[in-house]
């Protein structure tokens, strides 16, 4: 009888220990599952945050590119546009066949060179064409014809002055104009010349 009770006690102890182990195992599994869920949620949150930061960076870059483009093309003010229209008047007045043509040509060329040099960072070919269209609209057909006739001489004088400002300074002074720069950006000059010539050919 005593052995029977002892065996029963051992059996019950074994059952209790097994239940505890099973409970502990279930708890461990539940804890591991919960931890996995937390880690997955955290990872998803980090991924979402990275996506938001990347999108914000892209928009910032796009904004920066737009600002750079605006800065490159710029906007010519009304005052600077009026100055260009006056310079075109001077170019038209340098038409061949009148007294003092060479001096007027030099002065007109020097003035246009200084104007474009001051606005080198703002000018664009399209901008110059628009100003030429404004000049044509505000002047007579004769004025347009005079400009077409004189332009080749003005263009040649611009290139001569830009190539050697110091050497051409005396001629420009004789024309009553003083050069505002000791050097000129030839790429800007060529752009302006090209835009004016294209406008005159239309």
């Amino acid at each position: 009888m005593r052995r029977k009770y002892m065996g029963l006690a051992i059996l019950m102890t074994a059952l209790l220990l097994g239940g505890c182990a099973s409970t502990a195992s279930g708890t461990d599994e539940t804890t591991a599952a919960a931890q996995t869920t937390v880690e997955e949620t955290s990872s998803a949150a980090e991924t979402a945050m990275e996506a938001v930061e990347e999108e914000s960076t892209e928009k910032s870059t796009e904004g920066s590119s737009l600002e750079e483009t605006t800065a490159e093309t710029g906007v010519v003010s009304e005052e600077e546009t009026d100055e260009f229209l006056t310079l075109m008047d001077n170019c038209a007045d340098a038409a061949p066949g009148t007294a003092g043509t060479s001096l007027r040509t030099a002065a007109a060329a020097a003035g246009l060179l200084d104007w474009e040099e001051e606005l080198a960072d703002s000018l664009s070919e399209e901008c110059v064409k628009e100003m030429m269209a404004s000049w044509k609209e505000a002047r007579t057909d004769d004025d347009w014809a005079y400009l077409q006739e004189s332009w080749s001489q003005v263009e040649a004088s611009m290139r001569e002055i830009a190539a050697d400002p110091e050497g051409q300074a005396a001629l420009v002074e004789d024309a009553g104009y003083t050069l505002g720069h000791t050097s000129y950006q030839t790429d800007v000059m060529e752009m302006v010349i090209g835009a004016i010539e294209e406008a005159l050919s239309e």
Side-chain angles (χ1 to χ4, degrees), residues 1 3 9 12 16 31 91 136:
M1 178 67 74
R3 288 180 180 178
M12 290 179 67
L16 286 172
T31 302
C91 291
K136 183 178 182 180

Side-chain angles (χ1 to χ4, degrees), residues 30-51:
T30 301
T31 302
Q35 183 174 356
T36 299
T37 301
V38 170
E39 290 176 351
E40 291 176 350
T41 302
S42 176
S43 177
E46 289 178 359
T47 301
M49 183 63 72
E50 289 175 357

Side-chain angles (χ1 to χ4, degrees), residues 9-165:
I10 292 171
L11 178 60
M12 290 179 67
T13 302
L15 289 173
L16 286 172
L17 290 174
C20 291
S22 177
T23 301
S25 176
T27 301
D28 290 343
E29 291 177 358
T30 301
T31 302
Q35 183 174 356
T36 299
T37 301
V38 170
E39 290 176 351
E40 291 176 350
T41 302
S42 176
S43 177
E46 289 178 359
T47 301
M49 183 63 72
E50 289 175 357
V52 170
E53 291 176 351
E54 183 177 350
E55 182 178 357
S56 176
T57 301
E58 289 177 355
K59 289 183 178 179
S60 176
T61 302
E62 289 175 0
S64 178
S65 297
L66 180 59
E67 290 176 0
E68 289 176 1
T69 302
T70 302
E72 288 175 1
T73 56
V75 176
V76 178
S77 70
E78 183 176 351
E79 181 180 354
E80 291 160 344
T81 298
D82 289 341
E83 186 177 353
F84 176 83
L85 300 183
T86 299
L87 288 168
M88 288 299 103
D89 288 340
N90 295 340
C91 291
D93 288 341
T98 56
T101 296
S102 61
L103 292 178
R104 287 201 302 275
T105 297
L112 188 54
L113 277 173
D114 280 338
W115 176 84
E116 67 188 30
E117 187 67 25
E118 292 291 337
L119 301 177
D121 295 332
S122 301
L123 286 178
S124 68
E125 185 176 354
E126 190 61 32
C127 175
V128 176
K129 289 180 182 178
E130 289 177 1
M131 288 187 288
M132 285 295 293
S134 297
W135 189 87
K136 183 178 182 180
E137 183 178 356
R139 300 323 188 251
T140 66
D141 290 342
D142 285 342
D143 291 331
W144 189 251
Y146 292 147
L147 181 58
Q148 288 176 315
E149 187 177 1
S150 65
W151 177 248
S152 61
Q153 294 185 34
V154 174
E155 172 198 345
S157 182
M158 287 176 68
R159 288 198 168 95
E160 289 175 357
I161 295 171
D164 183 18

Side-chain angles (χ1 to χ4, degrees), residues 177-199:
Y177 187 90
T178 302
L179 291 176
H181 298 272
T182 56
S183 64
Y184 296 91
Q185 300 177 55
T186 56
D187 58 333
V188 177
M189 178 190 70
E190 293 298 340
M191 181 272 289
V192 171
I193 288 176
I196 293 175
E197 288 182 341
E198 187 170 340

Side-chain angles (χ1 to χ4, degrees), residues 161-174:
I161 295 171
D164 183 18
E166 185 177 354
Q168 295 292 315
L171 174 62
V172 175
E173 289 281 353
D174 289 342

